[in-house]
Amino acid sequence: MTAASKAVSQDVSKPAVRIRDITTSLQRQMARPGGIDIEAAVAAAEQGLEGRREETLRVIQDKVQALAAFCAGRPAAPEAELYAIASVLVDTAGFLDMPAFYEAAYSLCEVVSRMSAAGAWSWPSIDVHVHALSLILGEGGGASDANSTLLAGLRAVVDRTPAPG
C-alpha cells in the first residue's frame, strides 16, 4: 500500500455522528394535556366541510360552465388557462366526497399536460373531458356504473395521448 492510498483510506474512516434530540413546537403542543382526540377533530372538520358543500358545488358548477365556454371559443394557446381551471376543479373536488369528478378533473390535467409537452393539441380530447365532467357532476360526482364507464373512456383518451419525455 502506497503512502497516498494509506492516507486516502484513513480519510474515509467512519466520521463521527452526532445525534441531536430536537423537539418541535408541534410536538410540544401535542404533548400538552387537554384538547380533543383525533376522531373528534376529524368529525368536526367533516361537519364544517359539509356545511359548505352547497357553496362548493356552486363553485364547481360555475367552473365547469366556464371551462365549457372557454373551450367553445377554441382560443390559441389554451394550455395554461385550461390547466389552471382543471387544477381548481381537482382542488375543489378534493374537499368533497366526489371521487369520480376528482378523477375526471385530474385526467383533464394529465391530458393537457401531455399534449402541451408533446406539442400535439387535440380539441376532441379536451371536449370529451369537459362533457364527462358535466355528466359526472350531474350524477353527484360519486361512484356509479355510468361514471365508471365515463372514467374508463377518459383513461383511454389519456393512454392515447403521447406521454412527455
Side-chain angles (χ1 to χ4, degrees):
M1 182 183 283
T2 67
S5 63
K6 193 177 205 181
V8 169
S9 66
Q10 288 175 353
D11 289 340
V12 270
S13 63
K14 292 185 179 179
V17 176
R18 191 177 299 171
I19 299 174
R20 302 167 98 189
D21 188 15
I22 299 174
T23 304
T24 66
S25 60
L26 177 60
Q27 287 172 316
R28 284 191 297 275
Q29 287 177 344
M30 291 179 66
R32 290 192 336 219
I36 60 174
D37 62 15
I38 284 284
E39 291 83 15
V42 168
E46 286 175 351
Q47 184 179 5
L49 284 175
E50 194 57 40
R52 303 203 73 153
R53 183 175 181 80
E54 292 303 315
E55 178 185 341
T56 305
L57 281 173
R58 280 193 301 278
V59 168
I60 289 174
Q61 288 168 342
D62 291 347
K63 284 293 179 187
V64 169
Q65 289 172 353
L67 179 64
F70 178 78
C71 292
R74 298 288 197 255
E79 297 92 336
E81 183 69 18
L82 267 174
Y83 194 89
I85 295 171
S87 292
V88 168
L89 292 173
V90 168
D91 293 343
T92 310
F95 285 111
L96 304 175
D97 187 23
M98 301 175 69
F101 186 85
Y102 178 91
E103 187 177 337
Y106 188 87
S107 179
L108 177 58
C109 287
E110 180 68 19
V111 164
V112 170
S113 178
R114 285 181 177 211
M115 288 190 303
S116 180
W121 194 255
S122 168
W123 277 110
S125 295
I126 300 300
D127 291 338
V128 75
H129 276 80
V130 173
H131 292 300
L133 283 165
S134 182
L135 292 169
I136 291 170
L137 185 58
E139 291 271 324
S144 72
D145 289 341
N147 288 347
S148 293
T149 301
L150 287 169
L151 292 171
L154 296 181
R155 284 190 290 275
V157 170
V158 171
D159 289 346
R160 280 186 337 177
T161 306

